Amino acid sequence: MTLPQVMRAIEIAEPGGPEMLRPTERPVPVPQPGEVLIRLAYAGVNRPDALQRAGSYAPPPQASDLPGLEGAGEVVALGEGVTGLKPGDQVCALLPGGGYADYVTAPAAHALPVPEGMGLKQAACLPETFFTVWSNVFMRGGLTAGERFLVHGGSSGIGTTAIQLASAFGARVFATAGTPAKCAACRALGADRAIDYRSEDFVDVLKAEGGADLILDMVGGDYLPRNVRALADEGRLVQIAFLQGPKVTLNFAHVMMRRLTITGSTLRPQSDLAKARIAAELREKVWPLLASGRVAPVMDSEFDLTEAARAHARMEQGAHIGKIVLKVA
């Protein structure tokens, strides 16, 4: 296959709002040893993309400066040493960056086959949220069947994924959301109880149930001490983002006396090996659920690659339910 030398891309002109995303042309990247080159059909839009655009989430060294942490398309070239994939394979991949473009490189170990029966549009929405949820809820948080699980932001891409996976693996699922429609969406996905945080206190709800065994939070701020109060004895809190800020006053005597665990992670800075381990577990334990239709990404809206600024504005308005994608091909 003859590849072009240049490609369309969306770059960040300078830190700022969605209007700072602008079309440009870049050289088509060359896959390095252990990498694949993917011609993208769709790219997922995620909150870390907006944080990078705003200047508060720098890409790691050697990563592309272009936004875009996930996508789906066709493998068109292999770097040295790649096995198990070939040109023409359809994959979805977790990306270190660069997804807002026609072509992107990714470690081959971070590329997974498009689940049977699923289109590229849906597959593009899998890597970022499924890697994040699986690694934090199951690998780090240790969620098991029968436990009470609370996820904040239940109607977000992370939330809709967490609800489905936790329910599929037998947990009792609680989710917070900000409108009756979003609460209804959470219940439809498998939440046993959806909590409208504008009219209910999730602490009271969970304490009445005996407390949460595990909480997944991306809000931070004053949610941190409230999460501690909402946990059952020996409960775990996993923090993955801070929409309301990372600093708060917290009485750690409660953590000690009730034997609580507070942990957290971010996905992008982790090593290629760590991400490959997550990919392997997803392929074994979650991809069969996707192929059977028991679990599926929740789709909100689609924008053309050239409309990336509109996609970011949609995400930051907070009215979306599920994933936003960019159509590339």
Side-chain angles (χ1 to χ4, degrees):
M1 178 184 295
T2 301
L3 297 174
Q5 293 185 328
V6 297
M7 64 180 184
R8 300 176 307 150
I10 301 295
E11 67 180 3
I12 301 168
E14 60 182 79
E19 70 280 1
M20 290 296 104
L21 296 173
R22 68 182 183 191
T24 188
E25 288 190 342
R26 292 285 185 92
V28 172
V30 176
Q32 299 303 301
E35 293 183 339
V36 293
L37 177 66
I38 303 169
R39 181 170 57 198
L40 289 174
Y42 291 91
V45 177
N46 294 282
R47 196 160 293 277
D49 300 338
L51 295 175
Q52 179 178 335
R53 186 209 69 225
S56 57
Y57 191 51
Q62 285 77 54
S64 171
D65 65 309
L66 300 175
L69 299 178
E70 64 182 349
E74 179 186 354
V75 174
V76 293
L78 307 178
E80 181 182 351
V82 173
T83 60
L85 289 171
K86 63 184 185 300
D89 285 348
Q90 290 194 337
V91 298
C92 57
L94 184 73
L95 309 173
Y100 290 15
D102 287 323
Y103 294 86
V104 69
T105 55
H110 303 171
L112 290 162
V114 173
E116 183 179 351
M118 184 176 290
L120 290 171
K121 178 178 175 179
Q122 286 184 301
C125 298
L126 298 177
E128 176 69 14
T129 53
F130 277 76
F131 273 70
T132 297
V133 170
W134 185 258
S135 62
N136 284 288
V137 174
F138 295 91
M139 297 173 73
R140 181 173 295 274
L143 185 67
T144 59
E147 289 193 309
R148 293 178 294 272
F149 170 62
L150 168 64
V151 58
H152 293 298
S155 62
S156 67
I158 293 290
T160 55
T161 301
I163 290 169
Q164 292 183 81
L165 287 180
S167 178
F169 284 93
R172 291 186 60 202
V173 182
F174 298 78
T176 61
T179 68
K182 289 183 176 182
C183 286
C186 292
R187 289 191 296 271
L189 291 169
D192 297 273
R193 177 76 156 83
I195 305 161
D196 186 337
Y197 62 77
R198 300 182 189 278
S199 59
E200 297 181 279
D201 186 343
F202 71 84
V203 177
D204 292 340
V205 173
L206 267 299
K207 287 178 71 174
E209 295 286 344
D213 298 296
L214 178 67
I215 297 176
L216 181 68
D217 183 38
M218 65 284 288
V219 181
D222 67 3
Y223 269 44
L224 286 165
R226 295 172 67 195
N227 284 331
V228 168
R229 297 201 305 273
L231 284 171
D233 289 353
E234 301 192 11
R236 295 94 68 197
L237 167 63
V238 181
Q239 197 73 37
I240 59 171
F242 295 102
L243 296 179
Q244 292 186 5
K247 297 181 180 180
V248 68
T249 299
L250 182 63
N251 185 347
F252 263 76
H254 295 293
V255 176
M256 296 164 59
M257 295 175 66
R258 298 172 52 214
R259 304 170 302 286
L260 307 179
T261 298
I262 299 177
T263 184
S265 74
T266 55
L267 182 61
R268 196 176 190 184
Q270 293 186 47
S271 70
D272 285 350
L273 178 59
K275 295 173 187 175
R277 287 170 175 160
I278 300 169
E281 288 206 12
L282 285 170
R283 186 167 188 166
E284 175 189 355
K285 299 176 181 179
V286 175
W287 251 232
L289 298 176
L290 291 163
S292 70
R294 187 175 177 187
V295 173
V298 177
M299 310 299 294
D300 178 82
S301 50
E302 173 188 322
F303 296 85
D304 189 79
L305 177 65
T306 59
E307 300 177 306
R310 288 183 58 206
H312 275 224
R314 167 74 179 167
M315 180 173 58
E316 293 185 331
Q317 288 167 358
H320 64 290
I321 296 177
K323 297 285 294 193
I324 301 170
V325 294
L326 298 176
K327 184 177 182 180
V328 181

